[in-house]
Amino acid sequence: MRRRDRQIDDAAARAILERGAYGVLSTVSPAGAPYGVPVSYCLLDGAIYLHSAREGRKLDHLAREPRVSFCVVGATEVLPAEFGALYESAVVEGVAREVIG
């Protein structure tokens, strides 16, 4: 992280994940192109569960490369006069695997 003064601890990141309504799952295509898709999710016992169709671009990517990034943005405030924003976010990296329930 470039701005260490803005880094949050694990407990604060987990709180953002617990409050979030959706996140963006980022995968890599077979051609190496990034692909981010908004998804609904739930956090349960330290794992992030995503709802998914049984086929599609996202699953094609995961079959080839299961490493992912998942980002949730919490509270935001746009500061037009400063050409900036205040916001909170949590970014998680991990390995996706299929769970059928």
Side-chain angles (χ1 to χ4, degrees), residues 4-79:
R4 297 285 179 204
D5 62 316
R6 302 224 175 146
Q7 187 168 353
I8 59 176
D9 62 24
D10 288 349
R14 184 175 304 280
I16 293 168
L17 291 170
E18 289 171 350
R19 290 191 312 267
Y22 72 92
V24 176
L25 178 70
S26 296
T27 63
V28 179
S29 77
Y35 176 67
V37 61
V39 295
S40 57
Y41 73 98
C42 70
L43 185 64
L44 181 63
D45 296 330
I48 298 169
Y49 291 87
L50 310 172
H51 179 267
S52 180
R54 293 189 184 261
E55 59 183 42
R57 186 174 177 182
K58 173 177 56 187
L59 293 182
D60 292 345
H61 293 185
L62 293 175
R64 181 187 160 279
E65 175 56 74
R67 292 179 297 169
V68 297
S69 176
F70 185 69
C71 177
V72 173
V73 177
T76 62
E77 178 185 353
V78 177
L79 305 172

